[in-house]
Amino acid sequence: MPQSRSDALISLRDVYKIYPRKNGEAIHALNGISLDIPSGDIHGIVGQSGAGKSTLIRCLTALEKPTSGQILVDGQDLSAMSTSQLRKARRSIGMVFQAANLLDSRTAAGNIAYPLYLAGVGKGERHERVASMLSLVGLADRGGSYPAELSGGQRQRVGIARALADEPKVLLCDEPTSALDQQSTAQVLHLIRDVRDRLGVTVIIITHEMAVVREICDSVTLLEGGAITQTGTVEEILHSPSSRLARDLVPAPQVDDAGVDLSANAIVDIAFTSKPGEPTGSKVMSLAASLGADVVAGVFETVGQAQVARLALAIPRQSLEEATATLGAQGIDTEVRA
């Protein structure tokens, strides 16, 4: 069995979750998940519907026990705890939902205070923590407002404050921006990163939005069919530009075929990465020009220290084989689109 990383706050070791069915065909929701998430990381977990993300959330929050394997949070094995032990351990994990799920009958301050009340925190300390959390999320003047009086972004900020009120070590965010407009999304993502930087919490974001991963995640894991198909830091992923996850993070540009004579030219997608100070882009452009290729569309993204480019080239068909071979020899990923 693989050993946990020494800096990992969260470690999953060979985790399976199998749901039996009456007809005897069991559903394997999680298939041998092993994953280390370092302390202080913002880690994205992505995947299509049915990939196992929801099951993973329930196991991480100990709402369900895995069929086998270990889930370690700060050295504690959640999968081996009693009910009373789990109740205490869950306080180390704050949860932010897709919709803020606030209590309509309570003010913003009342919503933040409620889990503290349930945890038996004294009135004076509750008041101090609520004031601190409202200030942290930029709502110091809205503590007396009810959810109906707040915007969607403000409600999500209250939800984040509530999740942090009990001083958890982990902040688990389930699609935290999918119900927000673009401006509110940017504000909430900035807040999550600021919270990580200021409080040192480890953040897990379950999302289907690759823009969220590009914007704030340090690392990312792709789930498919309940198994991990790719995981690593975002920069590591992007330095393998032909991989499935890299293509999802920075997709190929759209091409207007009407502007290209497809009888004489082939559309070839190329992908490459570089670091600041490296003139990779200009070298590739010069190489493409020397091969008689025209750039018909392009996408450039800077993610961390990685600069990622995806270009669509129109290459004369008579020189297509030579051109793709030359590009490949220079370490540039190529794929003929049409």
Side-chain angles (χ1 to χ4, degrees):
M1 181 178 294
Q3 297 298 309
S4 300
R5 283 177 48 172
S6 60
D7 63 341
L9 183 73
I10 301 168
S11 291
L12 286 76
R13 304 265 68 88
D14 205 26
V15 174
Y16 285 82
K17 182 61 181 180
I18 302 172
Y19 295 101
R21 299 182 68 177
K22 292 181 179 180
N23 62 6
E25 296 181 6
I27 298 175
H28 290 249
L30 297 177
N31 284 301
I33 300 290
S34 291
L35 178 66
D36 289 320
I37 301 176
S39 178
D41 219 28
I42 300 180
H43 188 88
I45 296 179
V46 299
Q48 298 298 319
S49 178
K53 301 192 301 297
S54 296
T55 302
L56 184 58
I57 289 173
R58 291 195 295 271
C59 289
L60 281 170
T61 53
L63 294 175
E64 290 195 27
K65 285 193 174 185
T67 304
S68 62
Q70 293 179 299
I71 297 177
L72 304 169
V73 178
D74 197 22
Q76 299 184 86
D77 186 357
L78 302 186
S79 53
M81 287 184 176
S82 65
T83 301
S84 60
Q85 290 172 322
L86 281 175
R87 194 176 299 116
K88 182 178 180 180
R90 286 192 188 107
R91 294 180 61 184
S92 68
I93 303 174
M95 185 75 187
V96 179
F97 303 93
Q98 179 176 351
N101 289 354
L102 302 181
L103 298 170
D104 292 334
S105 61
R106 291 178 178 266
T107 63
N111 271 279
I112 298 169
Y114 189 58
L116 297 175
Y117 167 76
L118 294 178
V121 177
K123 186 175 181 180
E125 187 177 352
R126 287 204 308 269
H127 179 76
E128 290 180 5
R129 285 204 212 171
V130 168
S132 175
M133 289 299 102
L134 284 169
S135 177
L136 178 68
V137 301
L139 294 174
D141 59 341
R142 300 305 300 269
S145 300
Y146 287 89
E149 300 171 323
L150 301 173
S151 68
Q154 289 172 330
R155 288 194 294 272
Q156 194 62 291
R157 285 172 175 267
V158 174
I160 292 171
R162 179 182 59 188
L164 293 169
D166 211 14
E167 301 176 338
K169 294 184 177 181
V170 177
L171 185 65
L172 180 56
C173 305
D174 184 12
E175 301 281 3
T177 61
S178 62
L180 302 178
D181 60 36
Q182 188 172 359
Q183 182 178 4
S184 296
T185 291
Q187 292 172 347
V188 167
L189 292 179
H190 176 80
L191 173 60
I192 291 173
R193 182 163 48 199
D194 184 55
V195 162
R196 186 278 305 271
D197 293 343
R198 294 173 64 178
L199 302 182
V201 297
T202 302
V203 181
I204 300 176
I205 297 182
I206 310 293
T207 184
H208 68 279
E209 299 176 278
M210 290 299 172
V212 170
V213 177
R214 290 198 304 268
E215 181 65 24
I216 66 167
C217 288
D218 302 303
S219 53
V220 61
T221 293
L222 173 64
L223 288 185
E224 290 184 303
I228 293 176
T229 57
Q230 195 173 3
T231 188
T233 68
V234 173
E235 290 184 27
E236 288 171 347
I237 297 295
L238 291 176
H239 277 291
S240 299
S242 63
S243 70
R244 157 73 185 281
L245 191 46
R247 289 173 181 269
D248 287 344
L249 283 168
V250 183
Q254 294 185 342
V255 175
D256 180 7
D257 292 343
V260 180
D261 181 3
L262 293 179
S263 62
N265 298 281
I267 302 297
V268 178
D269 290 317
I270 68 170
F272 58 92
T273 61
S274 62
K275 295 180 179 180
E278 295 180 355
T280 308
S282 59
K283 288 182 179 179
V284 172
M285 298 291 278
S286 296
L287 178 59
S290 71
L291 296 171
D294 291 325
V295 178
V296 294
V299 173
F300 293 85
E301 292 275 358
T302 298
V303 183
Q305 293 297 307
Q307 296 174 338
V308 186
R310 296 200 182 277
L311 304 178
L313 305 179
I315 299 178
R317 291 190 181 276
Q318 68 266 24
S319 59
L320 178 61
E321 185 174 347
E322 177 186 358
T324 54
T326 300
L327 290 166
Q330 296 298 314
I332 301 169
D333 289 281
T334 65
E335 182 177 345
V336 179
R337 186 188 302 196

